[in-house]
């Protein structure tokens, strides 16, 4: 069997070799045993080896650091910021993941739902996170939407038709209860839902409305509207929430991304800003966005008013409208003694987050242990700490290997301290 092509990208200052691997599965050995610890800091007594070879999985081995040199007669141990001492990550399809979960061969399946052949065992549990925002987008070339009034009538009609559909949660507002800043807009979200409830008795259905939808969303479209023709009037699309976060993520100077990367207003802006066709609304959105990103406000009240002003501008038009959202389930084994416990997860990314890696604990070990994870994504992106690890597999790996100063709060839109402390200085008396 030929070896996959290995393309060296750069040499990390700490001695890490980074590679882009075009195909195949890989095995990574990550060892810190050649570090010497002193009471004044960490002094390298050798390089940090990273050996990459073909194998059945990616294996991250974080070896406990034992002091080989200490000053003042005191050992200063340094531990990894997670429980397992070995983490294996393997690409696998959903049907194989189901059998491995039931046999406790893997402890969790990341990003996708496994396909169980029968009833799910009681030892298999799941957590829920935000899946996708369901968006109705009008075709600007459609003759039915050339006037603003007719465009709004068409989009309102389609959104209203989705209210009783199964397969998603009807929520005609861009910020969901799974966003950490939802309470800022809760009254606006309820008002939007009430507005569509009042439309229930209205009837002005175009006879030849053509709506297309792909994948799982196809079942949301009324049969008489369904089309696959190129001259469609509207499309029902999914905007993956985790992908919206990942698109703005970066590893730089201790940060994983801009401060607003998990906020509802940021996601709404990414989805709806391009569809604003009113110059006044576009200007208002630009002003509010720029002030939010620059921190140009005095206190929480003014910030919240800017967020609401941005949302008002984004939701004013009818070319794009959020109709609701989906929830994704991520499964794990809670079996005793081979399962896991003490699980933290992100409200948007689910298990594919640094928080999961830093909280999950093996039931049969008070510390350490072998954690095995499955994911239905190949490792394709460059393994580069700056600008790399951009695919789903890479983000999961970096969630374990990376050690940023700040981590995203799991159920909020803010951040929490990881490798820094919030110390208030005081004058010496």
């Amino acid at each position: 069997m030929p070896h996959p092509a290995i393309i060296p990208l750069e040499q990390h200052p700490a001695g890490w070799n980074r590679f882009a691997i075009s195909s195949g599965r890989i095995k990574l050995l990550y060892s810190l045993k050649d570090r010497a610890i002193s009471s004044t800091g960490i002094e390298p007594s050798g390089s940090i080896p990273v050996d990459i070879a073909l194998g059945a999985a990616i294996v991250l081995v974080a070896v406990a650091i034992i002091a080989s040199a200490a000053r003042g007669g005191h050992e200063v141990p340094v531990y990894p910021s997670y429980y397992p001492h070995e983490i294996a990550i393997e690409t696998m399809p959903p049907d194989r993941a189901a059998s491995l979960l039931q046999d406790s061969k893997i402890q969790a399946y990341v990003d996708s739902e496994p396909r169980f052949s029968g009833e799910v065992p009681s030892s298999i549990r799941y957590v829920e996170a935000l899946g996708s925002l369901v968006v109705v987008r009008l075709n600007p070339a459609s003759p039915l939407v050339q006037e603003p009034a007719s465009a709004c009538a068409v989009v309102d009609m389609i959104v209203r038709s989705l209210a009783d559909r199964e397969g998603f949660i009807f929520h005609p507002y861009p910020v969901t209860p799974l966003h950490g800043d939802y309470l800022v807009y809760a009254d606006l979200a309820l008002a939007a839902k009430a507005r569509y409830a009042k439309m229930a008795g209205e009837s002005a259905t175009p006879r030849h409305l053509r709506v297309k939808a792909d994948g799982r969303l196809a079942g949301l479209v009324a049969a008489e509207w369904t089309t696959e023709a190129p001259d469609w009037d509207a499309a029902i699309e999914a905007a993956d929430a985790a992908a919206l976060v990942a698109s703005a993520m970066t590893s730089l100077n201790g940060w994983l991304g801009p401060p607003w990367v998990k906020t509802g207003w940021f996601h709404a802006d990414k989805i709806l800003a391009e569809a604003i066709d009113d110059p006044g609304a576009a200007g208002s959105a630009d002003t509010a966005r720029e002030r939010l990103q620059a921190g140009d406000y005095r206190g929480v009240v003014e910030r919240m008013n800017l967020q609401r002003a941005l949302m008002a501008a984004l939701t004013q038009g009818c070319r794009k409208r959020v109709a609701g959202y989906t929830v994704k389930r991520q499964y794990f084994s809670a079996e005793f003694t081979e399962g896991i416990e003490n699980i933290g997860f992100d409200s948007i990314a689910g298990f594919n987050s640094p928080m999961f890696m830093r909280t999950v604990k093996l039931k049969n070990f008070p510390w350490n242990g072998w954690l095995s994870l499955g994911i239905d994504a190949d490792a394709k992106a460059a393994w580069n700490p700056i600008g790399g690890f951009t695919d789903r597999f890479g983000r999961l790996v970096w969630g374990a290997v990376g050690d940023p100063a700040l981590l995203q709060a799991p159920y909020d839109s803010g951040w929490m301290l990881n490798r820094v402390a919030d110390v208030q200085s005081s004058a010496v008396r």
Side-chain angles (χ1 to χ4, degrees):
M1 179 178 179
H3 285 247
I6 300 179
I7 309 164
L9 292 179
E10 70 169 20
Q11 181 77 19
H12 190 274
W16 291 43
N17 291 314
R18 300 295 177 182
F19 296 89
I21 300 181
S22 60
S23 62
R25 290 180 292 181
I26 52 182
K27 181 178 181 181
L28 169 67
L29 176 66
Y30 172 53
S31 174
L32 296 177
K33 62 183 179 182
D34 293 323
R35 288 274 181 160
I37 312 301
S38 73
S39 59
T40 58
I42 301 177
E43 299 178 352
S45 62
S47 63
I48 303 177
V50 177
D51 301 319
I52 300 181
L54 288 177
I58 285 191
V59 181
L60 306 174
V61 184
V63 180
I65 304 172
I66 302 176
S68 59
R71 300 193 180 112
H74 297 285
E75 176 182 345
V76 181
V78 176
Y79 298 99
S81 58
Y82 42 79
Y83 287 94
H85 72 278
E86 181 175 308
I87 303 172
I89 305 172
E90 182 179 355
T91 297
M92 62 184 64
D95 51 351
R96 180 165 178 255
S99 61
L100 292 179
L101 272 173
Q102 293 180 83
D103 296 337
S104 297
K105 300 298 183 183
I106 61 172
Q107 279 81 36
Y109 192 52
V110 179
D111 281 347
S112 300
E113 293 191 22
R115 297 195 188 102
F116 296 98
S117 58
E119 185 177 350
V120 180
S122 59
S123 61
I124 306 298
R125 314 283 174 81
Y126 63 83
V127 301
E128 292 185 334
L130 181 59
S132 299
L133 294 172
V134 177
V135 181
V136 177
R137 178 171 63 92
L138 300 183
N139 183 357
S142 169
L144 296 179
V145 300
Q146 294 307 302
E147 298 297 329
S150 61
C152 289
V154 169
V155 77
D156 282 341
M157 187 182 310
I158 296 173
V159 172
R160 186 177 73 244
S161 73
L162 302 177
D164 298 324
R165 296 285 181 177
E166 296 181 354
F168 89 123
I169 298 172
F170 181 70
H171 181 81
Y173 196 77
V175 184
T176 76
L178 290 168
H179 283 103
D181 55 341
Y182 172 70
L183 290 180
V184 177
Y185 326 94
D187 61 318
L188 302 177
L190 292 174
K193 196 168 185 178
R195 186 173 74 87
Y196 279 104
K198 291 180 180 179
M199 295 181 186
E202 298 179 8
S203 60
T205 307
R207 296 180 179 179
H208 304 293
L209 186 62
R210 296 158 298 181
V211 181
K212 70 171 187 175
D214 298 325
R216 296 182 179 180
L217 300 181
L220 299 179
V221 183
E224 62 271 21
W225 292 349
T226 302
T227 186
E228 296 181 1
D231 54 345
W232 47 274
D233 299 310
I236 299 179
E237 301 170 333
D240 185 272
L244 289 174
V245 174
S247 67
M249 296 279 281
T250 181
S251 299
L252 185 64
N253 197 27
W255 284 94
L256 288 176
W260 50 82
V261 70
K262 279 187 62 181
T263 60
W265 67 259
F266 175 68
H267 298 170
D269 187 62
K270 295 277 283 185
I271 295 171
L272 301 176
E274 65 176 12
I276 299 177
D277 53 7
D278 178 74
S284 298
D286 291 342
T287 300
R289 182 192 312 110
E290 290 168 4
R291 291 186 60 187
L292 285 169
Q293 293 180 346
D296 182 16
Y297 46 80
R298 297 183 300 273
V300 175
V301 173
E302 189 172 359
R303 173 177 59 79
M304 292 171 63
N305 284 331
L306 282 173
Q307 292 174 247
R308 290 169 67 94
L310 175 58
M311 294 302 300
L314 293 172
T315 57
Q316 178 177 322
C318 299
R319 299 295 171 180
K320 260 189 178 183
R321 187 72 56 81
V322 173
Y325 62 95
T326 64
V327 172
K328 61 186 177 185
R329 291 180 174 179
Q330 308 218 312
Y331 286 78
F332 67 96
S333 172
E335 192 267 338
F336 187 81
T337 60
E338 300 296 329
I340 53 178
E341 59 186 358
N342 194 48
I343 298 169
F345 62 95
D346 191 86
S347 61
I348 295 176
F351 287 159
N352 201 338
S353 64
M355 187 55 59
F356 172 69
M357 291 295 194
R358 280 157 179 76
T359 56
V360 61
K361 176 186 172 297
L362 279 299
K363 283 191 172 184
N364 54 358
F365 285 92
W367 191 267
N368 295 335
W370 293 266
L371 177 66
S372 296
L373 304 174
I375 187 171
D376 69 336
D378 293 320
K380 296 180 179 178
W383 283 28
N384 182 338
I386 300 177
F389 294 98
T390 53
D391 57 7
R392 290 189 293 126
F393 194 106
R395 291 198 297 272
L396 186 59
V397 173
W398 191 246
V401 175
D403 206 16
L406 300 166
L407 294 174
Q408 295 168 340
Y411 317 119
D412 198 359
S413 58
W415 298 76
M416 56 190 299
L417 303 179
N418 180 41
R419 290 301 195 187
V420 294
D422 185 11
V423 179
Q424 303 296 325
S425 61
S426 58
V428 179
R429 295 182 179 180

